[in-house]
Amino acid sequence: MIKVEVDMTKCQHYGQCVFEAPDIFRLNSDDKLEYTAEADDSERANIEAAIDVCPMQAIHIVE
Amino acid sequence: MNHPVVIVGASMGGLRTAESLRRFGYLGPITVIGEEAHKPYNRPPLSKEVLANEVTHEAVAFEERAATADVNWVLGTRAVSLDQEHNTVTDSSGMVHPYSALVIATGLRPKRLNLANGDLAGRHALRTLDDAINLRAELTPGADVVIVGGGFIGCEVAATAARLGCDVTVIHHSAHPMLRPLGTELARQMQLRHEAEGVRFLLNRSVVGVSGDSRIREVQIDDGSSIKCDVLIEAVGSDSNTEWLESTNIDLSDGVLVDSAMRAISTSGDFIPNVYAIGDVARFANPIFDDVPRRVEHWNIPTETAKRATSVIAAQLNEDEKLEKLLQDQFKPVPSFWSDQYDIHLLAFGSLSLSDTVTLVAGDVTGECVFEYHRGDQLVGVCGIGMRSVVQSYRAKFI
Ligand SMILES: Cc1cc2nc3c(=O)[nH]c(=O)nc-3n(C[C@H](O)[C@H](O)[C@H](O)COP(=O)(O)OP(=O)(O)OC[C@H]3O[C@@H](n4cnc5c(N)ncnc54)[C@H](O)[C@@H]3O)c2cc1C
Ligand code: SF4
């Protein structure tokens, strides 16, 4: 399992992460980020891609 | 033993290249040569939230990944020349670096105003962490801050400085700030929102001179007037860092011309084996729009171009039979852009500045809104304030 953490004091809800890992990140009906904090190992590449595209560098994998 | 992949430029583009080489299965040595003394960091916060608070490397540093722990970082060192015939790069300490593949990721530097009296203290430009540290120290409440250039960086700094209590004037060469990318209606709206925060605009104006004793005290405008100035910030565009390549036959007419595999192209139109360019410095055609090569100064481009280049480099170095097929693939990254000014969050996809018509399609320009950008009948961009889901839904239209 991978633990995902988003620093919500940094996140500006740009939703760029949603394109890279749609099973983990989504924007809710208020356009705010929601995410799944525990992901399967098979999601690692997608989550790393989401980390790369997050303008605020707000996403972290906590090992 | 194989020569390393040598990456010149240790910013986002250089870092993403190293990471992505590993992801594509290249296990050999990697050297990154970077002029700045710092490990790669994220530039956008340097005009926004980090400039508003405390500017430190820690606040903007990219996280390091285990896969790139063995990268050889040669920092505080400039590449000074490229020898194409022998496949080597020479750095400013005199060291010669042979390469199996070279990735040029040297980005841009700010253009500076050509001013008589130009050595007065108080002049700034903003690209690097050190620039931001120096600028931050002078943004004290009540300071008269004059920003030349009302593009995105100029306007972001204006917003940050205004919120810090500075007295801010923006001098811009056209009728509204950010006019070229945003179009009249949205640009005018952004101007109004800045003015409501106390920022003054001198439009269709330029700076002709500065005066003071050892520091700048006044700026002269082209209409004959003068304004008080403690801090002058020059945000008038950028130049490509390609001087170190001048003795090569690479096409350097605007950055480094590359093909769809990010391979450098010579002035006679052939690709140069084992030399690639990525990020802000790379000029490439994007089939989403047309076949005209352009440089794209958007944050997602270093990552996208690094991925593209490294997929090819890794296949080449690993002698993977996929290479031929890879080279046939189209490369058409969707440019994405954002800007934060006060509590206004702009988000855009595509290439707004290619458009000839701009249309409001959702919301209200005084609140949240979405604009479409067309060139003829082709949609070339979308930009919104708020309304994220609507703006986001457009991205798929470009793919
Ligand atoms: C203040 C600021 C705010 C920004 N805000 C946004 C934003 O909100 N949204 C957005 O989409 N984009 C934004 N950008 C643009 C974004 O940061 C760039 O697109 C991105 O940094 C480009 O990365 P790069 O690696 O291609 O080039 P650069 O970041 O320019 O890195 C090039 C590196 O190469 C080094 N170098 C140059 N010459 C040599 C040499 N001869 N030898 C060795 N090293 C060399 C330089 O020192 C530099 O470290 C902003 C940029 C700035 C400066
Ligand atoms: S990309 Fe980053 S800033 Fe944007 S929604 Fe995702 S976590 Fe938040």
Side-chain angles (χ1 to χ4, degrees), chain B residues 237-258:
Chain B
S238 2
D239 288 319
S240 303
N241 291 319
T242 51
E243 287 76 4
W244 65 284
L245 298 166
E246 259 158 21
S247 65
T248 69
N249 66 352
I250 301 175
D251 184 333
L252 301 175
S253 41
D254 175 18
V256 178
L257 180 65
V258 295

Side-chain angles (χ1 to χ4, degrees), chain B residues 1-9 29-35 71-104 244-245 274-275:
Chain B
M1 160 91 190
N2 289 334
H3 292 313
V5 174
V6 173
I7 301 166
V8 181
I30 301 175
T31 297
V32 186
I33 304 170
E35 179 164 18
V71 167
N72 174 23
W73 297 94
V74 184
L75 300 178
T77 307
R78 215 156 31 86
V80 292
S81 65
L82 161 61
D83 180 338
Q84 280 167 273
E85 195 185 332
H86 298 101
N87 293 330
T88 60
V89 170
T90 303
D91 74 25
S92 49
S93 74
M95 181 98 117
V96 177
H97 303 267
Y99 60 79
S100 57
L102 170 68
V103 181
I104 299 165
W244 65 284
L245 298 166
N274 307 324
V275 179

Side-chain angles (χ1 to χ4, degrees), chain B residues 23-194:
Chain B
R23 218 171 278 144
F24 284 112
Y26 168 77
L27 301 172
I30 301 175
T31 297
V32 186
I33 304 170
E35 179 164 18
E36 293 181 69
H38 309 285
K39 282 256 184 106
Y41 58 86
N42 196 21
R43 296 192 198 281
L46 298 179
S47 53
K48 310 179 181 78
E49 67 279 5
V50 165
L51 186 63
N53 296 296
E54 200 191 351
V55 190
T56 60
H57 183 254
E58 204 189 338
V60 284
F62 285 116
E63 223 165 88
E64 288 188 49
R65 297 209 173 122
T68 44
D70 59 353
V71 167
N72 174 23
W73 297 94
V74 184
L75 300 178
T77 307
R78 215 156 31 86
V80 292
S81 65
L82 161 61
D83 180 338
Q84 280 167 273
E85 195 185 332
H86 298 101
N87 293 330
T88 60
V89 170
T90 303
D91 74 25
S92 49
S93 74
M95 181 98 117
V96 177
H97 303 267
Y99 60 79
S100 57
L102 170 68
V103 181
I104 299 165
T106 43
L108 313 175
R109 62 172 179 279
K111 276 197 186 15
R112 303 304 299 259
L113 299 170
N114 187 5
L115 298 168
N117 269 345
D119 51 358
L120 293 176
R123 287 181 67 181
H124 294 266
L126 183 56
R127 181 88 192 168
T128 67
L129 177 64
D130 294 342
D131 293 340
I133 291 171
N134 294 335
L135 176 60
R136 181 66 186 90
E138 298 208 333
L139 294 180
T140 49
D144 286 303
V145 172
V146 176
I147 299 169
V148 190
F152 283 109
I153 292 180
C155 287
E156 288 172 358
V157 175
T160 304
R163 283 277 167 97
L164 286 170
C166 303
D167 214 328
V168 182
T169 304
V170 177
I171 302 173
H172 187 60
H173 61 78
S174 66
H176 300 290
M178 302 173 281
L179 176 61
R180 185 62 210 129
L182 295 185
T184 305
E185 203 177 350
L186 188 51
R188 188 194 298 124
Q189 179 60 31
M190 291 299 293
Q191 180 186 336
L192 290 173
R193 295 192 191 193
H194 274 276

Side-chain angles (χ1 to χ4, degrees), chain B residues 118-368:
Chain B
D119 51 358
L120 293 176
R123 287 181 67 181
H124 294 266
L126 183 56
R127 181 88 192 168
T128 67
L129 177 64
D130 294 342
D131 293 340
I133 291 171
N134 294 335
L135 176 60
R136 181 66 186 90
E138 298 208 333
L139 294 180
T140 49
D144 286 303
V145 172
V146 176
I147 299 169
V148 190
F152 283 109
I153 292 180
C155 287
E156 288 172 358
V157 175
T160 304
R163 283 277 167 97
L164 286 170
C166 303
D167 214 328
V168 182
T169 304
V170 177
I171 302 173
H172 187 60
H173 61 78
S174 66
H176 300 290
M178 302 173 281
L179 176 61
R180 185 62 210 129
L182 295 185
T184 305
E185 203 177 350
L186 188 51
R188 188 194 298 124
Q189 179 60 31
M190 291 299 293
Q191 180 186 336
L192 290 173
R193 295 192 191 193
H194 274 276
E195 286 170 346
E197 297 273 348
V199 173
R200 260 185 320 272
F201 287 89
L202 299 177
L203 297 167
N204 294 313
R205 287 281 157 262
S206 60
V207 169
V208 291
V210 293
S211 55
D213 308 325
S214 57
R215 272 196 76 87
I216 293 184
R217 288 295 166 222
E218 258 188 5
V219 169
Q220 283 85 45
I221 319 292
D222 62 347
D223 62 356
S225 66
S226 295
I227 54 171
K228 282 205 299 181
C229 175
D230 301 310
V231 183
L232 180 68
I233 303 167
E234 301 168 27
V236 288
S238 2
D239 288 319
S240 303
N241 291 319
T242 51
E243 287 76 4
W244 65 284
L245 298 166
E246 259 158 21
S247 65
T248 69
N249 66 352
I250 301 175
D251 184 333
L252 301 175
S253 41
D254 175 18
V256 178
L257 180 65
V258 295
D259 67 6
S260 74
M262 305 291 112
R263 296 180 293 192
I265 302 291
S266 74
T267 46
S268 47
D270 310 314
F271 78 85
I272 296 165
N274 307 324
V275 179
Y276 301 76
I278 60 125
D280 278 11
V281 80
R283 184 161 64 97
F284 61 95
N286 190 331
I288 293 176
F289 307 110
D290 49 39
D291 56 5
V292 180
R294 295 184 187 87
R295 289 190 305 96
V296 188
E297 298 175 31
H298 286 178
W299 190 86
N300 76 316
I301 293 301
T303 301
E304 298 268 9
T305 50
K307 255 191 225 166
R308 175 66 178 150
T310 51
S311 66
V312 173
I313 296 170
Q316 180 119 42
L317 296 178
N318 292 339
E319 292 172 15
D320 191 320
E321 60 211 19
K322 283 197 311 256
L323 180 61
E324 276 315 308
K325 153 127 205 345
L326 258 178
L327 290 172
Q328 304 302 319
D329 288 349
Q330 278 201 326
F331 177 62
K332 38 184 206 171
V334 182
S336 93
F337 183 84
W338 81 100
S339 181
D340 302 328
Q341 299 169 36
Y342 314 104
D343 307 315
I344 311 163
H345 302 291
L346 287 169
L347 177 63
F349 291 105
S351 189
L352 311 187
S353 53
L354 294 180
S355 66
D356 44 45
T357 42
V358 185
T359 324
L360 178 72
V361 290
D364 171 347
V365 73
T366 59
E368 299 202 334

